[in-house]
Amino acid sequence: MVVGEKQSKPRVHDDIVARLAKSIFSGTVKPGQTLPSEMTLCQQYGVSRTAIREAIRVLSAKGLVQARSRSGTEVLAPANWNFLDAGVIEWMQLSYKGADFFRSLLEVRLLIEPEVAVLAAERATAQEVATLEQAYNAMVVAEPGDFEACSQANLDFHVGVIAASHNLVLGHLVTAIRAALLAGFRMTFRANLSWNRMIEHHRLVMEAIRLRQPEDARKAMLALLATNREELLADPEPRRWRSPRPQASQFPAGLAGDNGATVTFDGLVQQFRNLFGAVPQVYRAPGRLNLIGEHTDYNDGFVLPVALDLSTWAAISPRSDRRVHIHTDMLSEAIEFDLDEPDPERKQDWSDYVRGVALILERTGYWLKGANLLLKSDVPVGAGLGSSAALEVAVGYALTRNSGLTMDPVDLAWCCQRAENEFVGMRCGIMDQFVSCGGAVDHALFLDCRTLDSRLVPIDPRARLVICNTMVRHELAGSEYNLRRQDCERGVALLSQALGPIKALRDVSAAQLEQHAGLLPEVTYRRCRHVISENERVLRAATALEKGELHVFGQLMGESHRSLRNDFQVSCRELDVMVELALSVEGVYGARMTGGGFGGCTVNLVAAEAVERFSETVSKAYQDATGQKPAIFTCSPGAAVGAETSLKIATPGTETT
Ligand code: GLA
């Protein structure tokens, strides 16, 4: 919901929540102190004990306070604050109106943003610094009288600082600041503030980040915010203003976003009209095929996936309430839920992905409208082709677009990954969501999962990517996948005894692993060996693909499969059989399992002219060996998430010869 469009009547405790929150934000009650007793609060506010208790319950749920039985209700430190979600912003909006509200947000920014500036100075990649510089340059050229341009440039700069630190900052910190910015800039900003003075402060922040001087970055950011605050206090009648939108993007220009305007997929549109009586917008998000770099993403490593030409489509139209109604062929019954439900529960089915994405988007500060949704997909489920990510990204994109919001693709990928980690309970890395948001036609995407720097690598036209589905469904969530991740974390903990404070297996070289192998149990050692060697393979494979060295690439695929089979132990008999059969066909450069493992698909790099023979031979031989008929199909890397103009949904796996 857009701030200011309150739809239901506030309850008594909402007002108490707002007033207590205000006393915390304004520093009247500080972190570590306790709130007055229940009885005192009853008298102070002239309301019942129930209303006070309810208010405290709400504030606890937001992480602002913690009720302790003996010592009263303690105000928590900013690090715990989850408060800047849609609900609290709304309360604050209602109670403080205009300037007061904005000033309260400034208090919050004064607490948090300097720390983010420090992180940006410590960790920004060259690309992020360049993005930030662009935003700063836009400020320099903005005319002080051009209210809109000034505000937009200012917002871009601050969002740029956050983007430069946000991979490494804990989620709620980013959440809080982003929400503060969005809400703050929604409120008021006057172009007659001393714009030149503001630019000068921004320049100091910029320079400290560029020169990697964290302490200077902190000081400069503090000074900047303090100036901002003074200017506002001196401006008694700030006016309301429509929010500009953040545009910082880490993707190379032109990669993500809409690919057209009107929807022409008659069947989907017609079904939607029959169900909901409205004409929808249609959005599409692709699945992913990973060429190499398996189980490296959650180890801060490297991956080289492509966006598939198989996708999930979301047809959507807004509702006037805050409910989301979903129809899908994946289930016979419809699902619905309320965006205002405070703590939605997991249903242990596919709808958790939708619920999770909506929840995380809202917590991140994207206020969503209610929606009617119709979902369809031709990404086979449980085949290791990123069907969950395609669903999450399609839903996330559709829900934000439906609410009039534009989202940075990296943020979208990150929110979708969080939904899967925090709500669905699968501790996946970011690869699938990232390539669904940032892949490109005929290209693979090389991604550094630590910095989120990416580059596109063209697929050599002499070769084809052929997918062979073993038809063995993998079951990843909550089971072996999470155990593998734990093994890797154990490896990091044990190795850090010798190597000092390392963060992830990314920080360990093959030589270091061998040197300190004695610290690790055999199984942990082998898990680590896979990840460390796989990272090296991805770097070599990306170079080989760029140079057109298809044989080298194929060899690396073979090594990757052996490592996944022997060391990481995520293959299965059917995958091994499929790979072996593929390698016996002439014209095959390489073959390996793809995705999480335990079933699903193999990816094969095959000479263009050999594809037909390959499909026939492997299909027959696999059927002879296992009694299962495989699905074999060629994949042409597709486009990132976007609006759909026309589409043809294939039935997955029907291209078997
Ligand atoms: C699943 C996860 C990814 C990645 C792969 C293994 O697809 O969603 O994040 O970890 O497994 O490479």
Side-chain angles (χ1 to χ4, degrees):
M1 182 197 310
V2 173
V3 167
E5 287 179 6
K6 179 77 183 164
Q7 296 190 344
S8 56
K9 196 165 162 280
R11 293 151 299 180
V12 176
H13 70 260
D14 286 343
D15 179 48
I16 312 297
V17 167
R19 289 159 76 183
L20 285 173
K22 187 178 181 184
S23 61
I24 294 169
F25 302 156
S26 63
T28 320
V29 195
K30 294 199 165 52
Q33 291 182 350
T34 45
L35 292 181
S37 73
E38 273 179 16
M39 282 319 291
T40 317
L41 289 171
C42 287
Q43 284 161 5
Q44 204 171 325
Y45 294 113
V47 295
S48 72
R49 203 161 173 173
T50 319
I52 295 292
R53 285 199 176 153
E54 190 52 20
I56 289 179
R57 193 192 61 73
V58 173
L59 288 172
S60 311
K62 302 291 166 203
L64 259 183
V65 301
Q66 189 170 25
R68 300 189 190 280
S69 49
R70 293 232 179 88
S71 48
T73 302
E74 188 190 335
V75 174
L76 293 173
N80 292 311
W81 293 357
N82 272 322
F83 57 85
L84 283 171
D85 63 7
V88 172
I89 285 189
E90 224 176 278
W91 293 320
M92 293 174 74
Q93 155 84 356
L94 278 176
S95 18
Y96 309 152
K97 305 264 171 359
D100 272 357
F101 173 65
F102 188 50
R103 281 172 202 137
S104 304
L105 286 172
L106 261 173
E107 305 294 341
V108 173
R109 290 178 58 194
L110 274 168
L111 281 170
I112 302 174
E113 260 191 287
E115 303 311 315
V116 171
V118 168
L119 287 172
E122 281 173 352
R123 294 154 173 179
T125 62
Q127 200 184 340
E128 285 160 348
V129 172
T131 309
L132 198 55
E133 270 178 3
Q134 253 176 28
Y136 172 72
N137 291 339
M139 300 191 75
V140 176
V141 295
E143 288 293 326
D146 185 345
F147 178 66
E148 191 141 334
C150 291
S151 299
Q152 180 67 59
N154 197 353
L155 178 61
D156 281 349
F157 183 84
H158 288 272
V159 171
V161 178
I162 296 165
S165 66
H166 90 276
N167 308 327
L168 303 132
V169 185
L170 291 177
H172 59 255
L173 191 59
V174 179
T175 306
I177 295 177
R178 189 175 267 284
L181 283 170
L182 288 175
F185 282 93
R186 228 176 222 134
M187 294 303 303
T188 171
F189 188 71
R190 282 208 132 171
N192 61 2
L193 301 182
S194 314
W195 184 241
N196 290 340
R197 188 137 66 93
M198 295 264 285
I199 292 182
E200 180 52 21
H201 281 290
H202 281 81
R203 188 182 65 77
L204 296 176
V205 177
M206 180 70 245
E207 230 167 63
I209 293 175
R210 194 192 304 117
L211 300 176
R212 312 242 166 248
Q213 291 167 337
E215 252 328 295
D216 290 354
R218 185 202 310 270
K219 279 190 211 139
M221 183 61 88
L222 268 170
L224 165 60
L225 293 169
T227 315
N228 211 340
R229 186 170 178 277
E230 273 168 35
E231 302 278 5
L232 267 152
L233 291 174
D235 186 21
E237 274 184 31
R239 55 193 160 125
R240 277 175 155 270
W241 186 59
R242 184 174 55 82
S243 163
R245 293 183 183 128
Q247 286 175 339
S249 172
Q250 289 165 293
F251 280 123
L255 281 193
D258 291 359
N259 53 21
T262 36
V263 178
T264 59
F265 183 53
D266 299 343
L268 187 59
V269 171
Q270 197 49 52
Q271 191 181 350
F272 191 93
R273 289 178 92 156
N274 295 343
L275 284 165
F276 299 113
V279 178
Q281 291 296 312
V282 179
Y283 302 102
R284 179 201 58 86
R288 73 96 190 88
L289 171 67
N290 192 15
L291 305 189
I292 195 161
E294 221 63 83
H295 291 275
T296 45
D297 58 354
Y298 54 82
N299 288 298
D300 275 6
F302 308 107
V303 291
L304 190 67
V306 304
L308 276 180
D309 45 359
L310 302 173
S311 307
T312 295
W313 287 269
I316 192 164
S317 71
R319 295 174 58 89
S320 55
D321 56 14
R322 292 258 297 162
R323 297 189 70 74
V324 178
H325 287 212
I326 316 157
H327 276 261
T328 169
D329 295 344
M330 295 176 242
L331 275 193
S332 48
E333 87 259 37
I335 299 270
E336 52 175 277
F337 63 90
D338 199 319
L339 289 165
D340 287 323
E341 207 178 313
D343 286 308
E345 275 179 20
R346 278 201 286 165
K347 300 281 185 262
Q348 313 280 6
D349 60 32
W350 67 272
S351 71
D352 284 347
Y353 293 95
V354 183
R355 244 178 263 269
V357 168
L359 186 75
I360 298 291
L361 285 173
E362 288 255 318
R363 285 194 182 156
T364 309
Y366 293 94
W367 296 282
L368 303 177
K369 285 189 180 148
N372 291 325
L373 262 174
L374 172 62
L375 298 168
K376 275 186 187 285
S377 185
D378 65 4
V379 187
V381 174
L385 297 178
S387 59
S388 321
L391 174 59
E392 291 152 12
V393 172
V395 165
Y397 196 85
L399 284 175
T400 43
R401 278 302 168 99
N402 185 56
S403 310
L405 302 167
T406 309
M407 213 175 162
D408 179 308
V410 174
D411 264 1
L412 177 58
W414 182 65
C415 284
C416 292
Q417 184 206 9
R418 278 189 59 201
E420 196 160 338
N421 289 178
E422 294 171 26
F423 193 73
V424 178
M426 159 86 171
R427 298 181 62 212
C428 64
I430 199 166
M431 166 172 70
D432 305 356
Q433 294 81 0
F434 197 97
V435 75
S436 187
C437 292
V441 174
D442 292 338
H443 284 77
L445 183 133
F446 172 85
L447 172 65
D448 176 336
C449 299
R450 168 166 283 175
T451 61
L452 295 190
D453 285 338
S454 63
R455 71 174 194 272
L456 291 172
V457 185
I459 300 289
D460 193 315
R462 291 170 299 165
R464 296 283 177 276
L465 298 170
V466 183
I467 299 173
C468 299
N469 190 343
T470 61
M471 308 311 268
V472 178
R473 267 182 77 131
H474 73 175
E475 296 296 340
L476 288 178
S479 57
E480 291 292 330
Y481 185 95
N482 287 354
L483 289 177
R484 290 300 180 285
R485 188 163 176 167
Q486 268 175 26
D487 286 341
C488 297
E489 286 163 358
R490 189 173 309 129
V492 171
L494 292 170
L495 286 167
S496 64
Q497 291 171 12
L499 299 175
I502 49 169
K503 267 193 65 208
L505 287 177
R506 158 74 172 277
D507 302 314
V508 184
S509 70
Q512 285 172 323
L513 176 70
E514 291 314 317
Q515 195 188 346
H516 303 294
L519 289 172
L520 308 175
E522 172 67 15
V523 169
T524 316
Y525 163 74
R526 281 161 61 188
R527 304 291 189 250
C528 296
R529 185 166 64 180
H530 163 71
V531 174
I532 294 165
S533 62
E534 184 81 348
N535 274 334
E536 278 175 20
R537 281 188 286 274
V538 181
L539 294 173
R540 281 159 56 203
T543 311
L545 195 59
E546 270 155 351
K547 290 189 179 161
E549 295 171 348
L550 295 173
H551 284 286
V552 177
F553 195 94
Q555 265 167 21
L556 291 164
M557 289 172 84
E559 284 174 29
S560 166
H561 184 79
R562 284 190 289 281
S563 175
L564 286 158
R565 182 186 62 200
N566 303 336
D567 278 355
F568 217 64
Q569 296 182 299
V570 289
S571 187
C572 64
R573 178 176 159 262
E574 290 81 356
L575 285 168
D576 295 342
V577 167
M578 193 75 95
V579 165
E580 217 166 288
L581 291 173
L583 292 175
S584 69
V585 179
E586 215 187 303
V588 174
Y589 295 107
R592 56 179 287 276
M593 56 155 278
T594 187
F598 307 105
C601 296
T602 64
V603 49
N604 304 268
L605 191 69
V606 183
E609 63 283 2
V611 169
E612 210 170 308
R613 189 177 60 242
F614 171 88
S615 303
E616 278 166 23
T617 319
V618 174
S619 177
K620 180 164 182 321
Y622 181 79
Q623 210 166 331
D624 291 347
T626 64
Q628 284 260 34
K629 191 169 157 52
I632 299 184
F633 46 102
T634 307
C635 146
S636 318
V641 63
E644 191 59 83
T645 53
S646 65
L647 59 99
K648 198 174 104 232
I649 299 179
T651 316
T654 47
E655 284 179 52
T656 321
T657 52

